[in-house]
Amino acid sequence: MSHQIQIIKPQTGKAFLLNKGQILTVTDPQGQQVSDMVMLNRHDHSEKISSGKTLDFEESILLTAGNFLWSNRSNKMVKIIEDTNGRNDFLLAPCSKETFEIMYDHTGYHPSCLENLTKNLEPFGLTQDDIPTAFNIFMNVQFNEKGKISVLPPTSKPGDFVRFEAMMDLLVCLTACSAEDSNGGTFKPIHYSISDSV
Amino acid sequence: MSHQIQIIKPQTGKAFLLNKGQILTVTDPQGQQVSDMVMLNRHDHSEKISSGKTLDFEESILLTAGNFLWSNRSNKMVKIIEDTNGRNDFLLAPCSKETFEIMYDHTGYHPSCLENLTKNLEPFGLTQDDIPTAFNIFMNVQFNEKGKISVLPPTSKPGDFVRFEAMMDLLVCLTACSAEDSNGGTFKPIHYSISDSV
């Protein structure tokens, strides 16, 4: 299996297969760039990554090395085995055209993670309504004990990465996030690679 | 339209229709009892309540009077118009048989919100995989700024209620939650009523 680095250009996405036991490394090559990640059971797309089940079983809003990401059927999908940045969450939905219209009064076309997840998962038979809340890699979502949420620029530095071990055969989709406020105001690429061992 | 009080017995659930503009009141008659709520667009069940979109648009983990609950298609489903207790969240998935097996080492049958949501929504053509993360009414999920989650007994007193105004025609399912740790160790009923005005 290739260790070749795959490049997700700014404001785009890519879908790919990951076999049980393989290692996926998601890298922020320039720093301060979020990647949304969606995962589905490759053999049954009705089983997919679940924010609610993950927060249940991991008992934490923030997820880093040692945590698992779980499916809606209470199965482990991946283990986070390394995380050089340490700030990922599972709270907010992928940005969509409505995010920009409703929250930022944007008019006209705006690229979005939801569009990029949908576009890249459509060849596998999925539709926009099938896209669950994504795991937000490198996203810097702050919250206080009263629950107030704010999104700050990522703390990730150039070369920071998160490494996942697949616990089942997966269909994965990653984006380089399209939202100004989540990415320190500029859009950078995301890199990933797949290997058979760490 | 009837104001008649409907009773959800302990560790069960009920599904019903709610018209746009109608008012749904969910009451904890004895105190310290959680109710999980799932909502779908009655005319297209692929549109359903979304934790990610709600946290996005409301910018808060805790949701109370003045907040809206949003769908996966970025539409408002209900407005919370009154909340006498003030602690509801949208973090954790409905309890399921795996919750009790994995988190509490329970063996054998255990009633669960996921079973009750599924059983009551099946007559409307839905399956277990269609059930999204539910809105947790009266649930007392605590979290600190590091993201650590803990579930405490509800703060709701006998007669506390949350009142919702429907922003679209809905299919709703409510439970009286089946998890020991979420309900102060005992299982109580949940009451609800529907009216055409407050």
Side-chain angles (χ1 to χ4, degrees):
Chain A
M1 174 55 59
S2 165
H3 288 54
Q4 196 183 338
I5 291 175
Q6 306 289 329
I7 297 173
I8 302 173
K9 292 180 184 167
Q11 298 187 298
T12 71
K14 277 193 184 175
F16 53 91
L17 303 181
L18 188 69
N19 297 330
K20 181 176 177 178
Q22 284 188 320
I23 308 296
L24 168 67
T25 303
V26 181
T27 302
D28 180 358
Q30 299 181 22
Q32 293 207 330
Q33 177 61 45
V34 171
S35 177
D36 272 20
M37 181 169 75
V38 160
M39 300 187 304
L40 305 103
N41 177 338
R42 187 195 311 170
H43 308 295
D44 182 349
H45 294 165
S46 294
E47 180 166 22
K48 57 185 85 166
I49 193 170
S50 165
S51 58
K53 279 297 177 193
T54 299
L55 270 57
D56 255 0
F57 292 129
E58 300 301 316
E59 299 180 298
S60 180
I61 292 173
L62 301 175
L63 300 153
T64 185
N67 289 123
F68 293 89
L69 306 185
W70 295 72
S71 78
N72 58 328
R73 294 184 189 164
S74 296
N75 294 312
K76 293 172 179 172
M77 300 193 94
V78 288
K79 180 177 184 178
I80 306 178
I81 56 175
E82 205 171 347
D83 178 6
T84 64
N85 175 50
R87 188 102 197 167
N88 319 286
D89 81 284
F90 220 148
L91 291 177
L92 303 180
C95 63
S96 65
K97 70 182 181 63
E98 296 86 359
T99 310
F100 301 105
E101 291 165 2
I102 295 170
M103 301 188 73
Y104 304 115
D105 290 328
H106 180 84
T107 54
Y109 177 73
H110 194 298
S112 71
C113 283
L114 187 59
E115 180 190 30
N116 286 321
L117 292 165
T118 303
K119 198 187 322 184
N120 285 280
L121 287 169
E122 273 173 350
F124 297 90
L126 293 153
T127 68
Q128 184 169 299
D129 287 329
D130 296 321
I131 310 292
T133 294
F135 183 60
N136 301 311
I137 306 170
F138 306 125
M139 192 164 182
N140 187 3
V141 177
Q142 296 286 332
F143 44 87
N144 61 27
E145 292 194 13
K146 292 188 171 176
K148 176 71 185 166
I149 292 172
S150 54
V151 178
L152 299 185
T155 56
S156 47
K157 303 281 183 295
D160 270 335
F161 63 87
V162 184
R163 191 161 275 160
F164 304 90
E165 179 183 352
M167 311 296 286
M168 61 170 72
D169 289 343
L170 294 168
L171 167 60
V172 180
C173 192
L174 287 170
T175 70
C177 174
S178 297
E180 283 79 356
D181 283 13
S182 303
N183 298 290
T186 59
F187 304 113
K188 288 83 70 185
I190 286 289
H191 292 178
Y192 72 91
S193 62
I194 297 171
S195 62
D196 284 335
S197 58
V198 181
Chain B
M1 175 52 60
S2 163
H3 287 54
Q4 197 183 338
I5 290 175
Q6 306 289 330
I7 297 172
I8 302 173
K9 292 180 185 167
Q11 298 187 297
T12 71
K14 278 194 183 175
F16 53 90
L17 303 180
L18 188 69
N19 298 328
K20 180 176 177 178
Q22 283 188 321
I23 308 297
L24 169 67
T25 303
V26 181
T27 302
D28 180 358
Q30 299 181 21
Q32 293 206 330
Q33 177 60 45
V34 170
S35 177
D36 272 19
M37 180 170 75
V38 160
M39 300 187 303
L40 305 103
N41 177 338
R42 187 195 312 170
H43 308 296
D44 182 349
H45 294 166
S46 294
E47 179 166 21
K48 58 185 84 166
I49 194 169
S50 165
S51 58
K53 279 296 178 193
T54 299
L55 270 56
D56 255 0
F57 292 129
E58 300 302 315
E59 299 181 300
S60 181
I61 291 173
L62 301 174
L63 299 153
T64 185
N67 288 122
F68 293 89
L69 305 185
W70 295 73
S71 78
N72 58 327
R73 294 184 188 163
S74 296
N75 293 312
K76 293 172 179 171
M77 301 195 95
V78 288
K79 180 176 183 178
I80 305 177
I81 57 175
E82 206 170 345
D83 178 5
T84 64
N85 175 50
R87 188 99 197 170
N88 319 286
D89 80 283
F90 221 150
L91 291 177
L92 303 181
C95 63
S96 65
K97 70 181 180 66
E98 296 85 0
T99 310
F100 301 105
E101 291 165 2
I102 295 171
M103 301 188 73
Y104 304 114
D105 289 326
H106 180 84
T107 53
Y109 177 73
H110 194 298
S112 71
C113 283
L114 187 59
E115 180 191 28
N116 286 320
L117 292 166
T118 303
K119 197 187 325 184
N120 286 281
L121 287 170
E122 273 173 349
F124 297 90
L126 293 154
T127 69
Q128 184 169 300
D129 287 329
D130 296 321
I131 310 291
T133 294
F135 182 61
N136 301 312
I137 306 170
F138 307 124
M139 191 164 181
N140 187 4
V141 178
Q142 296 286 332
F143 45 86
N144 61 26
E145 292 194 12
K146 292 189 172 175
K148 176 72 184 165
I149 291 172
S150 55
V151 178
L152 299 186
T155 56
S156 47
K157 301 282 182 294
D160 270 335
F161 63 86
V162 183
R163 191 161 275 160
F164 304 90
E165 179 183 353
M167 312 296 286
M168 61 170 71
D169 289 344
L170 293 168
L171 167 60
V172 180
C173 193
L174 286 171
T175 69
C177 175
S178 297
E180 283 79 357
D181 283 11
S182 304
N183 299 290
T186 60
F187 304 113
K188 289 84 70 184
I190 286 288
H191 292 178
Y192 72 91
S193 63
I194 297 171
S195 63
D196 283 335
S197 58
V198 182

